[in-house]
Amino acid sequence: MTEPANGNGPTHGDGRVRRIVIENCAVATVDAHGTEHTDGHVVVAGDLIESVGEGRAPAGLENVVRRVDGSGHLVTPGLVNTHHHFYQWLTRGLAQDASLFDWLVALYPVWARIDEDMVRAAARGSLGMMVRGGVTTAMDHHYVFPRGCGDLLGAEIDAARELGVRFNPTRGSMDLGESDGGLPPDFAVESTDDALAATEEAVDRHHDPSFGSMLRIGVAPCSPFSVTTELLRRAAELARRKGVRLHTHGSETVEEEKFCHERFGMGPTDYLDSVGWLGDDVWMAHCVHMSDSDIAAFARTGTGVAHCPSSNARLAAGIARVPDMLAADVPVGLGVDGTASNESGELHTELRNALLVNRLGPRKEKALTARESLRLGTYGGARVLGREREIGSLEPGKLADLVLWRVDGIGHSSIADPVAALVMGAPAPVTLSLVNGRTVVEDGRLANADEDLIAREARNEAGRLARAAGSEG
């Protein structure tokens, strides 16, 4: 790979590996031992981490193209987002006091009017906000595909490529409309065969399973109350035939629990298990209402969880049993969720909210520590996405996805513990963020995109969507 326009490519034009040296900073590696350095260094060679340790970087390094004085900073692995709906960037602030089902009923008719230009603007806004806040690997669950709407998944992929973020989108789907007992309106769903065909085409066209891949596709029917049993079963078969991961919503609300018992005679976990939806290639969003047996089933099968504390609070869904899941060794990561139910759209605020919300549960002050919360947002997310051998911790040989957080400013300087400053304090500014050793954020600003243009286009497309929904209402 040659040097990109931002001057931070992994090699020189003659093939020599370029090095970036970050020194004089606190380092939280989030490795298996929780190794930390109070005054350490990280050396990036090309797209990989070459060394991490206490004190200054090794002497005599060749082809050092940049040295960063990290004084007053903490370096961590890049944050990994495990659940999102980018398109919702255009419908923030609506249905402000609704529970999940009422919120969906209010917004489905609006979302059913989206098109490719709207989704591109929404994806750039969603990604821009996350990347600026320390996310280096993003995931999206897109499941609304109106007829004639254009290439919505392609629009998201283009936006991720532009911003330089590692991307794990999923091709979602809904085929259970209101007339058949589902929640979405009939005009917002696809046929089962069309959804499966489009999903397979997306995998064939875009999925890259290689080490260090910037783009991996997953299979993601929306939820038990918006898809048929046939779609769930055939989607699982498709994903395993193609060797890709599976994602859906699960056990988010008591209403979902009631729906599953009334329609299928069992709770969400047992129902999803009955159609092949538990396994170490599966992760589910929310998992708020989980019994002991549900948690045991997730632990036994290695099924992962995307914990979305802000969205769960916004929609009054409840408090997920994250400490119990972690105690059982269930893979758990953090998710922003769609910005129509988490208007901030930032994952680094979820580090704090995960800690605080879980301390409202039965384990109280012992529920989560600051370091456990940081692990959820880094290594935990990598594990949920099946990428823990590549990202999620700062270790030699792993991909150079890392964030340098400033923790000596007014919001953090009096907190002696830099990890506590990051997790428990105000949102920390990002001085530098790298993906594959390439700069994606510099001094708190996106390195590869115009933030003002992103904001302006998102505002224009949000207005166009509101007018389209109003004219069809």
Side-chain angles (χ1 to χ4, degrees):
M1 300 175 68
T2 58
E3 178 179 345
N6 66 13
N8 189 29
T11 64
H12 288 283
D14 60 5
R16 293 180 298 156
V17 173
R18 302 165 64 102
R19 286 183 171 84
I20 300 172
V21 176
I22 304 172
E23 297 176 302
N24 307 321
C25 54
V27 180
T29 69
V30 200
D31 65 9
H33 306 289
T35 305
E36 296 181 15
H37 306 289
T38 57
D39 184 10
H41 72 270
V42 178
V43 177
V44 171
D47 60 356
L48 300 177
I49 296 170
E50 185 174 62
S51 67
V52 183
E54 189 70 31
R56 302 294 295 271
L61 294 173
E62 297 181 351
N63 303 324
V64 175
V65 298
R66 183 174 185 184
R67 288 186 178 272
V68 179
D69 181 1
S71 300
H73 288 75
L74 168 69
V75 63
T76 72
L79 302 183
V80 179
N81 182 36
T82 61
H83 186 64
H84 210 314
H85 308 294
F86 290 172
Y87 72 91
Q88 292 182 14
W89 189 260
L90 304 184
T91 58
R92 294 190 294 168
L94 304 179
Q96 296 177 16
D97 304 307
S99 63
L100 175 66
F101 276 24
D102 291 340
W103 176 84
L104 287 170
V105 168
L107 291 175
Y108 271 140
V110 180
W111 295 337
R113 312 302 172 191
I114 59 174
D115 61 26
E116 184 175 336
D117 289 340
M118 294 176 187
V119 169
R120 179 175 291 104
R124 294 176 80 224
S126 295
L127 285 164
M129 199 68 185
M130 284 190 296
V131 172
R132 198 178 68 171
V135 167
T136 55
T137 296
M139 174 272 174
D140 191 60
H141 182 190
H142 190 92
Y143 54 84
V144 181
F145 292 90
R147 293 178 182 85
C149 59
D151 185 2
L152 304 189
L153 186 62
E156 294 189 336
I157 290 170
D158 288 345
R161 186 179 294 115
E162 175 193 3
L163 271 66
V165 67
R166 203 176 300 281
F167 195 29
N168 281 54
T170 59
R171 206 294 179 178
S173 51
M174 299 189 295
D175 70 338
L176 187 66
E178 188 176 11
S179 64
D180 293 320
L183 198 63
D186 290 346
F187 58 79
V189 304
E190 301 173 277
S191 73
T192 305
D193 288 340
D194 286 349
L196 290 165
T199 301
E200 183 164 7
E201 192 275 335
V203 173
D204 290 343
R205 180 179 177 188
H206 297 294
H207 183 65
D208 175 7
S210 65
F211 180 89
S213 167
M214 293 294 288
L215 180 61
R216 292 189 183 163
I217 309 297
V219 175
C222 182
S223 64
F225 52 82
S226 62
V227 305
T228 62
T229 300
E230 180 185 5
L231 178 56
L232 281 172
R233 183 178 291 112
R234 291 173 62 186
E237 293 168 354
L238 168 63
R240 286 167 181 141
R241 175 164 51 85
K242 293 291 183 179
V244 299
R245 299 180 76 76
L246 285 157
H247 180 59
T248 193
H249 297 88
S251 300
E252 185 174 359
T253 65
V254 292
E255 291 85 3
E256 179 188 336
E257 180 90 15
K258 180 180 178 182
F259 178 93
C260 288
H261 276 287
E262 289 179 351
R263 192 172 181 93
F264 311 116
M266 61 188 92
T269 297
D270 289 339
Y271 170 60
L272 289 163
D273 189 19
S274 74
V275 290
W277 270 78
L278 295 187
D280 60 6
D281 56 352
V282 180
W283 84 104
M284 301 193 194
H286 303 293
C287 299
V288 174
H289 299 278
M290 298 275 281
S291 66
D292 289 347
S293 63
D294 293 336
I295 293 174
F298 273 51
R300 183 179 65 253
T301 58
T303 305
V305 173
H307 176 45
C308 305
S310 292
S311 177
N312 293 343
R314 160 76 152 86
L315 296 174
I319 302 172
R321 297 174 59 187
V322 171
D324 295 334
M325 295 177 194
L326 294 177
D329 197 30
V330 173
V332 182
L334 292 181
V336 169
D337 202 8
T339 49
S341 64
N342 177 8
E343 277 75 2
S344 76
E346 297 180 296
L347 191 68
H348 65 307
T349 58
E350 299 305 287
L351 301 175
R352 185 174 193 264
N353 290 342
L355 183 148
L356 296 179
V357 167
N358 282 283
R359 287 187 178 188
L360 295 174
R363 292 182 181 242
K364 299 189 181 299
E365 68 274 7
K366 302 297 184 182
L368 283 181
T369 67
R371 282 158 178 81
E372 287 170 332
S373 188
L374 177 59
R375 181 171 291 274
L376 287 177
T378 53
Y379 184 84
R383 186 182 177 199
V384 164
L385 296 182
R387 307 199 69 163
E388 67 272 26
R389 295 180 181 178
E390 302 171 282
I391 59 173
S393 60
L394 300 179
E395 301 178 75
K398 283 199 167 184
L399 296 168
D401 294 8
L402 57 85
V403 181
L404 190 66
W405 310 86
R406 184 183 175 192
V407 290
D408 67 348
I410 187 171
H412 307 88
S413 64
S414 58
I415 305 176
D417 177 353
V419 174
L422 174 66
V423 173
M424 304 180 80
V430 174
T431 294
L432 180 69
S433 181
L434 304 179
V435 176
N436 268 351
R438 298 173 182 265
T439 302
V440 295
V441 175
E442 185 86 52
D443 293 329
R445 300 286 292 182
L446 298 175
N448 303 311
D450 183 333
E451 294 183 17
D452 294 333
L453 178 61
I454 289 174
R456 185 165 59 252
E457 290 181 346
R459 181 172 62 250
N460 292 341
E461 292 300 325
R464 190 165 69 87
L465 176 58
R467 291 190 297 273
S471 66
E472 297 290 338

